[in-house]
């Protein structure tokens, strides 16, 4: 009797802390949805090492794939749990795609920074982001965004998520420039679904669609499991292998086969190997400051757009489309850049793929705790997450995109000064594979269109400031070239 009473008390405390019942969820739902979010995000443990772990810096140093994989999982686990416990929202955090490419390609390969110096700038980026959050400026930016642009960001992110799923599954493929065609992408290969992995994705999309239509509890989780089982059977029969060996017919990233082993000690040797101010002495104060500015702007608005969209999808925002306790959430999210840079895993930020768990019922930070624990476990059981191919998780991303696009009804397309900025925000995000790009183009367009429409008084001064900053952001390459 005492054990039962103790368990009930603990459950009640857990419920109260995370507001589980208040948000219409259950502990079981949060745990299951946290697992869904992990599998929707787990690809970053494979992809981030390919971006950061293979290239040499100016000194010939290579971070290494095993080292980056371990650091990526560590940072994601720590920050996702921290966000769940402090902000109490179901938004997973991991190394941001786009920002890691900026670090590897622009800072290390083009500008000649060492890995330690580049990661030092990422840490400083986090410090700036946290200061802006503590000061209340990030919250003020949220308040200054017109409702039409908030809706457009959510719809654009939904389109972006769907495109990620379609591309990762090979359903949509980029046609190489050498093809001399006016069409930059194609359906599958040569207009056909010609690979087994893509066929598995289509089956998974049908399964997940059925689960949503029939309102099956945990349907998306079940969909991922069933699609993974199908993928393993298909791989056993066809031997499709990896896309590294067969770019057309292979599995993208993980091959769905049972691993030979189940664990090992993670190599965390690159954690803490950073030079905070080294970039300023290496390339000069002006160039380093411009690179830092690029990081801050990309990080700032990528996270802002993602949190807005996820909050609306989870129905956690208020009447103004703002999350309660937004300031606290922004401070924790900003810390992700400090932790990610310090771990040499690049800036960690809120992950748009968290929408998969939200679609499966996640409403509280408890789901984040589950996701984070799985990331930490992945450091030791690396082969296990490789059992689930991206083609099995991609259908969930497409389903989420279909759910999020419904917010387009909140945009008044009868007024062109509203319609054009919203439209540009929506299409630029998926077409450029960047949330920040979509927000930047949309903000600039909104400010100009409102000016042309004679509605200057409706433009908040912060919108003018952000638009000007994005003009500098988009002109960063020629500016860097001009300052040498």
């Amino acid at each position: 009797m005492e054990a039962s009473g103790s368990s009930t008390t603990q459950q009640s405390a857990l419920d109260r802390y995370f507001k589980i019942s208040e948000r219409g969820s259950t502990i079981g739902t949060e745990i299951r949805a946290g697992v869904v979010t992990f599998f929707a995000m787990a690809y970053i443990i494979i992809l981030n090492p390919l971006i950061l772990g293979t290239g040499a810096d100016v000194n010939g140093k290579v971070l290494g794939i095993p080292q980056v994989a371990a650091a990526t999982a560590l940072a994601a686990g720590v920050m996702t749990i921290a966000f769940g416990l402090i902000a109490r929202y179901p938004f997973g955090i991991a190394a941001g795609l786009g920002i890691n490419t900026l670090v590897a390609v622009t800072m290390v390969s083009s500008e000649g920074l060492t890995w330690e110096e580049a990661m030092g700038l990422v840490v400083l980026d986090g410090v700036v982001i946290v200061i802006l959050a503590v000061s209340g400026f990030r919250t003020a930016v949220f308040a200054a965004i017109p409702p039409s642009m908030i809706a457009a960001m959510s719809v654009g992110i939904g389109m972006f998520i769907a495109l990620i799923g379609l591309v990762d599954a090979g359903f949509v493929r980029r046609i190489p420039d050498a093809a001399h065609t006016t069409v930059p992408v194609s359906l599958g290969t040569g207009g056909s679904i010609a690979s087994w992995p893509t066929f598995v994705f289509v089956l998974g999309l049908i399964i997940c669609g059925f689960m949503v239509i029939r309102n099956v509890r945990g349907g998306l989780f079940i969909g991922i499991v069933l699609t993974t089982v199908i993928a393993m059977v298909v791989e056993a029969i066809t031997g499709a292998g990896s896309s590294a060996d067969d770019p057309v017919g292979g599995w993208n990233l993980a091959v769905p086969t049972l691993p030979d082993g189940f664990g090992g000690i993670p190599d965390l040797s690159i954690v803490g190997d950073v030079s905070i101010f080294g970039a300023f002495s290496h390339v000069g104060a002006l160039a380093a400051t411009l690179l830092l500015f690029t990081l801050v702007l990309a990080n700032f608005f990528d996270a802002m757009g993602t949190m807005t969209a996820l909050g609306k999808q989870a129905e956690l925002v208020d009447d103004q489309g703002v999350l309660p306790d937004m300031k606290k959430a922004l401070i924790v999210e900003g810390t992700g850049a400090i932790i990610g840079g310090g771990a040499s895993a690049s800036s960690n930020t809120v992950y748009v793929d968290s929408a998969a768990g939200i679609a499966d019922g996640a409403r509280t930070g408890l789901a984040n705790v589950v996701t984070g624990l799985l990331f930490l476990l992945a450091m030791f059981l690396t082969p296990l997450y490789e059992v689930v191919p991206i083609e099995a998780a991609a259908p969930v991303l497409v389903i989420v995109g279909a759910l999020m696009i419904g917010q387009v009804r909140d945009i008044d397309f009868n007024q062109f000064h509203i319609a054009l900025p919203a439209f540009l925000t929506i299409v630029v995000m998926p077409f450029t594979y960047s949330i920040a790009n979509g927000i930047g183009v949309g903000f600039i367009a909104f400010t100009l269109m409102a000016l042309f429409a004679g509605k200057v008084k409706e433009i908040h001064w912060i919108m003018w400031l952000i638009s000007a900053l994005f003009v500098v952001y988009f002109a960063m390459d020629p500016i860097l070239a001009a300052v040498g």
Side-chain angles (χ1 to χ4, degrees):
M1 291 292 290
E2 289 182 3
S4 175
S6 175
S7 176
T8 302
T9 302
Q10 290 175 1
Q11 271 199 1
S12 178
L14 195 67
D15 192 310
R16 289 197 304 270
Y17 183 81
F18 287 109
K19 302 180 180 179
I20 297 173
S21 296
E22 181 181 326
R23 295 180 184 176
S25 186
T26 66
I27 292 176
T29 297
E30 294 298 310
I31 293 173
R32 183 192 65 235
V35 176
V36 170
T37 297
F38 170 75
F39 282 116
M41 295 176 60
Y43 68 87
I44 193 60
I45 313 177
I46 305 173
L47 186 56
N48 202 38
L50 297 179
I51 296 173
L52 298 178
T54 58
D57 64 15
V58 67
N59 293 332
K61 179 179 178 178
V62 178
L63 293 180
I65 289 179
Q67 293 84 349
V68 176
T72 299
L74 174 64
V78 169
M79 284 310 308
T80 298
I81 292 173
F83 194 86
L85 291 176
I86 299 172
R88 306 183 198 181
Y89 289 120
F91 307 162
I93 292 182
L97 285 174
I99 295 177
N100 55 5
T101 304
L102 177 65
V103 169
V105 176
T106 300
M107 296 186 175
V108 175
S109 296
S110 299
E111 297 301 319
L113 296 182
T114 65
W115 285 112
E116 295 89 346
E117 292 164 351
M119 293 303 171
L121 285 181
V122 173
V123 172
L124 291 177
D125 159 47
V127 172
V128 173
I129 292 290
V130 170
I131 292 173
L132 292 175
V134 171
S135 69
F137 180 75
R138 291 189 83 182
T139 307
V141 170
F142 272 88
I145 302 173
S148 63
M149 293 302 294
I150 291 177
M153 287 190 295
S154 297
V155 175
I157 288 173
M159 296 280 286
F160 182 34
I161 292 172
L163 184 61
I164 290 173
L166 293 170
V167 171
D168 286 350
F171 193 88
V172 172
R173 293 177 182 266
R174 189 177 75 86
I175 300 174
D177 295 336
H180 301 294
T181 175
T182 57
V183 182
V185 294
S186 71
L187 174 68
T189 303
S192 299
I193 307 303
S195 72
W196 285 110
T198 304
F199 173 72
V200 169
F201 159 77
V202 173
L203 289 180
L205 185 58
I206 294 171
I207 292 170
C208 289
F210 171 82
M211 296 292 179
V212 173
I213 290 171
R214 303 300 297 182
N215 293 317
V216 176
R217 289 179 63 86
L220 296 181
F221 174 75
I222 296 171
I224 291 176
V225 173
L226 290 178
T227 308
T228 299
V229 172
I230 294 172
M232 295 176 74
V233 172
V234 168
E235 173 60 21
I237 295 173
T238 66
S242 171
S243 60
D245 301 318
D246 183 359
V248 174
W251 300 90
N252 192 6
L253 297 182
V255 178
T257 57
L258 290 176
D260 296 330
F262 290 97
I265 303 299
D267 184 346
L268 299 173
S269 58
I270 62 173
V271 174
D273 192 11
V274 299
S275 175
I276 304 297
F277 298 105
F280 289 85
S281 59
H282 186 166
V283 297
L286 180 58
T289 300
L290 289 172
L291 290 172
L292 179 60
F293 168 80
T294 303
L295 276 174
V296 170
L297 208 62
N299 228 344
F300 187 106
F301 288 100
D302 195 307
M304 184 185 74
T306 302
M307 290 177 67
T308 299
L310 294 177
K312 290 193 71 174
Q313 185 200 357
E315 299 180 345
L316 297 173
V317 297
D318 59 23
D319 294 338
Q320 285 72 46
V322 178
L323 282 167
D325 293 327
M326 171 66 79
K327 184 174 181 179
K328 183 191 301 182
L330 291 173
I331 292 173
V332 180
E333 187 279 330
T335 307
I338 300 175
I339 298 299
S344 297
S346 183
S347 176
N348 275 227
T349 186
V350 171
Y351 243 57
V352 70
D353 307 78
S354 306
I358 292 173
D360 208 44
R363 293 294 180 272
T364 78
L366 179 58
N368 252 37
V369 173
V370 174
T371 302
L373 289 174
L374 289 174
F375 268 115
L376 295 180
L377 187 63
M379 289 195 301
F380 300 91
L381 303 177
T382 300
L384 286 183
Y385 64 78
E386 294 180 352
V387 171
V388 181
I390 191 65
E391 289 82 357
V396 176
L397 302 182
V398 177
I399 294 293
V400 168
L403 294 173
M404 293 180 69
I405 200 172
Q407 298 180 43
V408 73
R409 66 174 67 94
D410 297 331
I411 303 171
D412 185 1
F413 283 98
N414 292 318
Q415 300 188 63
F416 194 71
H417 73 281
I418 292 176
L420 181 61
F423 172 75
L424 289 174
T425 301
I426 291 169
V427 298
V428 170
M429 282 188 191
F431 289 166
T432 65
Y433 250 58
S434 169
I435 294 172
N437 284 349
I439 293 175
V441 170
F443 277 25
I444 293 171
F446 180 88
T447 303
L448 290 176
M449 293 304 109
L451 176 64
F452 297 160
K455 299 182 181 297
V456 178
K457 293 182 180 180
E458 296 181 11
I459 309 173
H460 196 285
W461 70 267
I462 289 181
M463 292 295 291
W464 284 104
L465 174 62
I466 294 171
S467 297
L469 291 174
F470 267 114
V471 170
V472 176
Y473 174 77
F474 290 130
M476 188 53 64
D477 281 348
I479 291 175
L480 283 172
V483 301

